[in-house]
Amino acid sequence: MDCIFCKITEGTIPSKKVFENERIVAFHDISPAAPVHILIIPKKHIPTMNDVTEEDGPLVAELFAAARQIAREQGIAESGYRLVNNVNQDGGQVVYHLHVHLLGGSKLSPILGEIKS
Ligand code: AMP
Ligand code: ZN
């Protein structure tokens, strides 16, 4: 499958990994939008949040648990951080393999104010 994040999972494309278990991997974003910008992904290829099934529930919960742990390890748990999941075109999704962005390390600008209908 021609999926860049599957290739990162398999190790055929290099990444700076910060976390890995049997189901999840997390690595530094190649083009960071904040001092801390890490992507947390399931190893299972799920294209978007729309494709998450009921049986994926524990996996999605584990993505957030990993995000929480990584935030602690990166020293931003107390200062704060943002978790982002972009879905499809209007959401700005570029890579169609489910991922959560962990952003922090500085005061992030409010996003809701930027959204115009
Ligand atoms: P999204 O717009 O939510 O699909 O975000 C995709 C993210 O993947 C962007 O922030 C990219 O900078 C990041 N990205 C793309 N290719 C790589 C890569 N090879 N290693 C790490 N991050 C990547
Ligand atoms: Zn994939």
Side-chain angles (χ1 to χ4, degrees):
M1 193 187 298
D2 196 25
C3 169
I4 194 166
F5 285 179
C6 281
K7 287 177 181 160
I8 284 177
T9 294
E10 294 155 5
T12 49
I13 286 182
S15 68
K16 290 206 271 178
K17 286 183 187 157
V18 296
F19 177 93
E20 182 164 19
N21 69 17
E22 306 85 73
R23 293 164 299 280
I24 286 171
V25 58
F27 50 90
H28 287 278
D29 195 292
I30 204 166
S31 175
V36 176
H37 188 172
I38 289 164
L39 302 174
I40 302 122
I41 73 170
K43 289 186 173 177
K44 177 182 177 184
H45 181 83
I46 301 173
T48 83
M49 189 56 83
N50 290 337
D51 304 299
V52 168
T53 64
E54 205 153 315
E55 72 175 23
D56 293 322
L59 182 60
V60 172
E62 206 181 348
L63 282 182
F64 281 90
R68 208 168 57 221
Q69 181 185 319
I70 295 162
R72 245 191 339 263
E73 289 166 358
Q74 295 286 323
I76 59 170
E78 299 310 320
S79 52
Y81 55 92
R82 183 175 293 159
L83 300 176
V84 174
N85 171 236
N86 298 323
V87 182
N88 282 343
Q89 274 188 316
D90 282 0
Q93 187 171 5
V94 174
V95 177
Y96 281 77
H97 180 128
L98 186 68
H99 54 280
V100 175
H101 297 253
L102 167 63
L103 297 152
S106 67
K107 176 91 177 156
L108 302 171
S109 51
I111 51 167
L112 295 182
E114 295 169 9
I115 294 170
K116 297 180 182 68
S117 54

